[in-house]
Amino acid sequence: MARGDLTDEQWAVLELLLPKGKKRGRPPIWTRRQLIDGIRFRVRTGIPWRDMPAEYGPWGRAYDLFRRWQRNGTWQRIFTELQARADAKNLIAWDLNVDSTVCRAHQHAAGARKRGTCRRSRPAVSQSSPTTTASGARAAA
């Protein structure tokens, strides 16, 4: 058993919540416990599915189980049931904190142009003023 795997006590609680279903045919090589520990390992560490350690079974089987239960709502049902049990034992503190602070800036505070006015940051160079060339000599206007 690896460091983050389910303990026997945790597995006993979780096993009762898992969907019942016995497929006919060949018995499974990988137990649900191994696959669920693999799913938990992958979610906990954030590794790609293909990098899941072999001790948890083939990554494809774990991925298929994860996605199937995600689609049919099994994970949500398990979470809701475990949360309800913890709440019944007063293990959850339901403290809420609502922050109603709102900071709004007027559109002009963001540098938007005011309607009807177009101010330039520098005055425009008039055509009547003499200009100089790159060499510093005055050009004829």
Side-chain angles (χ1 to χ4, degrees), residues 18-39:
L18 298 179
K20 308 288 187 252
K22 189 72 174 163
K23 289 187 176 181
R24 295 182 181 196
R26 192 174 350 156
I29 298 171
W30 303 97
T31 65
R32 278 187 171 179
R33 184 173 181 170
Q34 286 175 302
L35 295 173
I36 290 173
D37 280 337
I39 291 168

Side-chain angles (χ1 to χ4, degrees), residues 8 16 20 22 25-26 28 32-33 36 39 41 45 47 51-52 65-67 78 83 98 106 108 117 122 124 135 138:
D8 291 336
L16 298 174
K20 308 288 187 252
K22 189 72 174 163
R26 192 174 350 156
R32 278 187 171 179
R33 184 173 181 170
I36 290 173
I39 291 168
F41 178 82
T45 60
I47 61 170
D51 293 342
M52 199 172 77
L65 180 69
F66 175 76
R67 289 294 291 159
I78 291 170
Q83 188 177 39
V98 178
H106 195 271
H108 296 214
T117 60
R122 291 180 276 163
S135 64
R138 286 190 152 190

Side-chain angles (χ1 to χ4, degrees), residues 5 9 14 29-30 46 48 57-58 60 67-68 94-95 99 101-102 110 130:
D5 291 349
E9 293 170 4
L14 182 63
I29 298 171
W30 303 97
R67 289 294 291 159
R68 189 171 357 114
W94 296 97
D95 294 334
D99 183 8
T101 305
V102 176

